[in-house]
């Protein structure tokens, strides 16, 4: 089993923070590159991987603004 990286947040956790019941809209936006924070990519086995840094997402959820780098 792959160890969870505490610096990243999953689409499921993001949905809970934002009060959404289904994380699929977040996954879809990450795959399209339209979500303001994070990215998604496919592995060689066609599995999607979502990389969203936790701290910038939490700031975005709290303030509604995308943090500056």
């Amino acid at each position: 089993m792959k160890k969870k990286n505490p610096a990243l947040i999953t689409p499921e956790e993001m949905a809970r923070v934002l009060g959404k019941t289904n994380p699929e809209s977040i996954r879809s936006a990450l795959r399209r590159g339209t979500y303001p924070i994070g990215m998604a990519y496919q592995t060689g086995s066609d599995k999607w991987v979502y990389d969203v840094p936790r701290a910038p997402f939490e700031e975005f959820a709290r303030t509604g603004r995308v943090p500056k780098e």
Side-chain angles (χ1 to χ4, degrees), residues 11-33:
E12 293 78 15
E13 291 174 293
M14 294 166 69
R16 278 195 300 276
V17 169
L18 297 173
K20 297 183 179 288
T21 57
N22 187 347
E24 190 53 42
S25 62
I26 294 171
R27 285 190 203 101
S28 179
L30 286 165
R31 288 191 298 261
R32 288 190 318 268

Side-chain angles (χ1 to χ4, degrees), residues 30-47:
L30 286 165
R31 288 191 298 261
R32 288 190 318 268
T34 59
Y35 204 80
I37 298 170
M39 62 178 280
Y41 57 92
Q42 272 184 301
T43 65
S45 63
D46 292 332
K47 180 182 177 196

Side-chain angles (χ1 to χ4, degrees), residues 7-11 14 30 35 37-39 50-55 57:
L8 299 177
I9 188 167
T10 67
M14 294 166 69
L30 286 165
Y35 204 80
I37 298 170
M39 62 178 280
Y50 303 94
D51 283 343
V52 181
R54 183 175 297 276
F57 170 78

